[in-house]
Amino acid sequence: MQVTDLPEIKPHVREYHRACFDCLDCGQSTYADSKLPLGDSHFGPRIHALVLDLSLSCRLSHRQIRDHLKRSFNIKVSIGTISSMIERAGQFTKDVFK
């Protein structure tokens, strides 16, 4: 007998450090630009793709997507974050396919 199952899925967290420079005259801090494909988002391209797929293909609401991420992956996000992820992914796609 064969039994098919899904592997345990856990979020992979990476930490990035950016150079920070302090002005000697005014003391204001300036950070180096982010070179990540989706800018300064706290979420990577795979979770953006999943959120976009859940929204467009599965037609889930932002609340349903939030609940799915919490239930399936124990990832807590706000509804505003879901909206931002969809907008950011759309902008990234638009920029790539110019």
Side-chain angles (χ1 to χ4, degrees), residues 28 32 69 72 77:
Q28 185 170 348
L69 292 174
S72 298
V77 296

Side-chain angles (χ1 to χ4, degrees), residues 24-44:
L24 298 176
D25 292 330
C26 69
Q28 185 170 348
S29 298
T30 302
Y31 290 90
D33 287 337
S34 172
K35 299 298 181 195
L36 299 174
L38 295 165
D40 287 334
S41 174
H42 292 277
F43 300 98

Side-chain angles (χ1 to χ4, degrees), residues 36-71:
L36 299 174
L38 295 165
D40 287 334
S41 174
H42 292 277
F43 300 98
R46 290 187 185 104
I47 194 164
H48 276 78
L50 174 62
V51 166
L52 202 58
D53 185 54
L54 292 172
S55 176
L56 298 176
S57 298
C58 301
R59 299 181 184 266
L60 296 183
S61 70
H62 290 36
R63 290 182 197 286
Q64 290 170 318
I65 294 170
R66 180 197 60 193
D67 295 345
H68 178 71
L69 292 174
K70 174 64 176 140
R71 186 176 53 252

